Amino acid sequence: MSKLKVVKYGDPVLRQVAEPIHKFSPKIQKLIGDMFDTMYAENGCGLAAPQVGVSKQLFVLDCSNETKRYGKMVFINPKIVRKKGACLSHEGCLSFPEVFVDVKRYNEITVRFQDMKGKPQEMTVKLEEHPLLCRAIQHEMDHLNGILFVDLAVDQHGADVLLKAKDLPSIDPAKNVIEPALEEAYSQLENPVAVTE
Ligand code: ZN
């Protein structure tokens, strides 16, 4: 197992739509192991394959904290098949060192995916039960579609200031993501407070 280089914002691979995985080969198993090594070494809770320069539909998570243990979770060829509600989510990303911004996320999702053996799985995750896992799945899913969390920043100007301070490229207004269903659910929240854990 080995630690891989995490690509930073500005690298074109982060904007590509990742390719589906058809073969659950030893090469993929090794990539998964290396991605976990990399994620733990960087103190992250999630890492998508494009972040290590591999444009494939794969991400790994470990959302364990002081109170809950999740362990290693692997999502291959994932699709969010149901989503509802909304929340404000305070997020960072290993491809954006020391940049944290608030974005809108759903507060309940159902995701279909394959595990590392290729077996189909389905999981429904609610924010109230699993706050970090619910938000992390949505963040990592976006990576597989070339979408980055700053594209969803509630305060685009504020996010841009943070990026400049870290010598990262500016926000690309053309990449700004507005999802009508999410906007509608979010507009019904009273005084949304960003979820941080
Ligand atoms: Zn990320």
Side-chain angles (χ1 to χ4, degrees), residues 46 48 51 92-96 139-140 143 148-149:
Q51 293 182 275
C93 177
L94 291 178
S95 297
F96 295 73
H139 177 116
E140 303 306 335
H143 273 299
L148 300 169
F149 75 134

